[in-house]
Amino acid sequence: MRFTKKDILDIQSLSKDEISMILDTAVGMKEISERPVKKVPTLRGKTIVMFFQEPSTRTKLSFELAAKRLSADTVSISKSTSSIVKGETLIDTAKNLEAMRPDVIVMRHSSSGAAYQVSKRVGCSVINAGDGTHAHPSQALLDMMSIREAKGKLEGLKVSIIGDISHSRVARSDIIGLTRMGARVSICAPDTMIPVGIENLGCRVEKTMESCVTDADVVMMLRIQKERMGNLLFPTEREYAGLYGLNNRRLGLAKDNVLVMHPGPMNRGVEISSEVADSGCSMILDQVTNGVALRMALFYLVAGGSRHADTD
């Protein structure tokens, strides 16, 4: 099978075979980060632009490390250092970037659909690093990689996702990806944080956190996204932690070998207790490690690596 996608914009547009191919490629890439010299020449001569218009620490650094470990040249621009602050439109900025002949643009934007709009107007590949509340495909793929690595499979697992579903592009991408790969996804949140019709993505909506966590193979907690809420959607953080926070007592309802995940950054003591976040069942830092390998795989596949696999 050859990977023919020009862009990685969401999980919805990836077939089950394409997701499996990305995860398999990422497993091979992971070994590179364990070497004394963490670099291969696979994408030497390629140029990757990091176009982040939202604050980001781990995602931006993860993409940059992934590009550098494949020997690509990287350039970073942010909203504050681009001509957008002078009134230039997003599309005009993208066309100017395209005129400088990059091979890949990695894009994060506060508006849902921004990466899709740019991808239609540039000839190079576009990877969506998160757009509004819509999609975060690389996070969902690294989550699937981490679960498959620990459990040996995705099909048949019960994955419970708890927290701010309404504002989470990670939750949407995870629900679509995990159900496509055969996992059973249950979600739980205050009613004010569950979008109408979310069950149409294939997940089950649980009324209580206890019922959502019971017999789970994986429990994924989501951050309370105060910056996207406007008015708070729950009375107090203390009440939220009491009803929807993950602690050892609630985790005891899940299967014995349950995995705990969180896309970060965490609000300790709100959606997750420190005793759980730092416990032996936590995969939170494994997710970060796998993020670099997964993003190396995305660069390799969209920037032509698979077309030169015989000579790399």
Side-chain angles (χ1 to χ4, degrees), residues 219 246 251 258-262 272 276 281-284 287:
V219 177
L246 184 64
L251 195 59
V258 64
L259 305 176
V260 174
M261 306 180 76
H262 193 304
I272 189 168
V276 173
C281 60
S282 172
M283 289 205 71
I284 296 169
Q287 290 173 267

Side-chain angles (χ1 to χ4, degrees), residues 3 8 22 25 63 127 137-138 141 293-303:
F3 193 83
I8 304 292
I22 292 169
T25 304
F63 270 112
I127 297 178
S138 64
L141 289 163
L294 188 283
R295 285 154 181 146
M296 289 169 73
L298 294 182
F299 286 142
Y300 176 78
L301 292 171
V302 303

Side-chain angles (χ1 to χ4, degrees), residues 231-297:
N231 295 322
L232 285 177
L233 300 178
F234 54 88
T236 65
E237 289 187 358
R238 182 177 180 182
E239 180 175 310
Y240 184 90
L243 291 173
Y244 299 99
L246 184 64
N247 51 35
N248 276 336
R249 179 180 60 80
R250 287 192 169 122
L251 195 59
L253 299 170
K255 291 182 178 174
D256 290 341
N257 57 349
V258 64
L259 305 176
V260 174
M261 306 180 76
H262 193 304
M266 293 182 286
N267 292 308
R268 287 176 180 263
V270 182
E271 68 260 10
I272 189 168
S273 68
S274 288
E275 61 185 357
V276 173
D278 300 328
S279 69
C281 60
S282 172
M283 289 205 71
I284 296 169
L285 294 180
D286 298 283
Q287 290 173 267
V288 179
T289 299
N290 285 339
V292 177
L294 188 283
R295 285 154 181 146
M296 289 169 73

Side-chain angles (χ1 to χ4, degrees), residues 58-59 136-144 170 174 262-263 287 294-295:
R58 76 202 71 210
T59 302
H136 197 342
S138 64
Q139 179 68 45
L141 289 163
L142 76 86
D143 289 343
M144 287 187 273
V170 175
D174 272 324
H262 193 304
Q287 290 173 267
L294 188 283
R295 285 154 181 146

Side-chain angles (χ1 to χ4, degrees), residues 1-295:
M1 175 181 171
R2 294 171 68 87
F3 193 83
T4 57
K5 284 278 189 298
K6 165 183 170 285
D7 308 304
I8 304 292
L9 300 176
D10 52 40
I11 296 295
Q12 187 74 45
S13 60
L14 297 173
S15 68
K16 186 174 180 179
D17 287 342
E18 287 170 335
I19 291 173
S20 293
M21 184 178 185
I22 292 169
L23 301 187
D24 291 342
T25 304
V27 170
M29 292 291 178
K30 189 171 180 179
E31 182 269 337
I32 295 170
S33 294
E34 305 299 325
R35 299 178 185 178
V37 178
K38 302 175 181 61
K39 180 170 281 196
V40 294
T42 307
L43 294 187
R44 187 167 51 203
K46 302 288 186 182
T47 303
I48 297 174
V49 174
M50 307 293 173
F51 187 25
F52 277 61
Q53 296 199 37
E54 267 191 345
S56 173
T57 301
R58 76 202 71 210
T59 302
K60 186 170 184 290
L61 181 57
S62 182
F63 270 112
E64 287 190 347
L65 283 174
K68 291 179 187 301
R69 287 182 183 171
L70 295 176
S71 297
D73 296 315
T74 63
V75 180
S76 295
I77 60 172
S78 64
K79 184 176 182 179
S80 62
T81 59
S82 73
S83 293
I84 288 177
V85 297
K86 301 177 181 176
E88 187 174 65
T89 67
L90 173 64
I91 300 304
D92 282 338
T93 299
K95 286 181 175 178
N96 278 281
L97 292 177
E98 165 74 357
M100 298 179 202
R101 302 292 185 263
D103 297 284
V104 182
I105 296 175
V106 180
M107 185 174 168
R108 170 170 284 199
H109 200 280
S110 58
S111 298
S112 300
Y116 177 75
Q117 292 299 324
V118 168
S119 73
K120 291 195 300 182
R121 291 168 171 82
V122 299
C124 66
S125 295
V126 174
I127 297 178
N128 182 7
D131 62 332
T133 59
H134 171 232
H136 197 342
S138 64
Q139 179 68 45
L141 289 163
L142 76 86
D143 289 343
M144 287 187 273
M145 176 188 177
S146 301
I147 296 170
R148 196 181 73 163
E149 182 178 63
K151 296 290 188 182
K153 63 177 184 178
L154 292 169
E155 189 166 5
L157 298 180
K158 178 181 178 181
V159 181
S160 300
I161 302 177
I162 297 143
D164 187 1
I165 307 292
S166 291
H167 298 92
S168 177
R169 52 199 175 205
V170 175
R172 283 177 176 76
S173 296
D174 272 324
I175 292 169
I176 294 169
L178 287 164
T179 54
R180 181 158 295 172
M181 300 305 286
R184 296 175 290 118
V185 179
S186 295
I187 65 169
C188 184
D191 290 343
T192 51
M193 293 180 175
I194 296 181
V196 175
I198 189 72
E199 53 270 76
N200 293 334
L201 296 181
C203 62
R204 177 185 175 91
V205 180
E206 297 283 0
K207 291 296 183 185
T208 67
M209 186 171 175
E210 282 73 14
S211 62
C212 192
V213 170
T214 296
D215 293 329
D217 296 283
V218 179
V219 177
M220 185 181 299
M221 303 305 296
L222 300 175
R223 181 173 66 90
I224 303 300
Q225 301 190 44
K226 298 174 186 175
E227 75 277 15
R228 296 182 192 277
M229 287 182 183
N231 295 322
L232 285 177
L233 300 178
F234 54 88
T236 65
E237 289 187 358
R238 182 177 180 182
E239 180 175 310
Y240 184 90
L243 291 173
Y244 299 99
L246 184 64
N247 51 35
N248 276 336
R249 179 180 60 80
R250 287 192 169 122
L251 195 59
L253 299 170
K255 291 182 178 174
D256 290 341
N257 57 349
V258 64
L259 305 176
V260 174
M261 306 180 76
H262 193 304
M266 293 182 286
N267 292 308
R268 287 176 180 263
V270 182
E271 68 260 10
I272 189 168
S273 68
S274 288
E275 61 185 357
V276 173
D278 300 328
S279 69
C281 60
S282 172
M283 289 205 71
I284 296 169
L285 294 180
D286 298 283
Q287 290 173 267
V288 179
T289 299
N290 285 339
V292 177
L294 188 283
R295 285 154 181 146

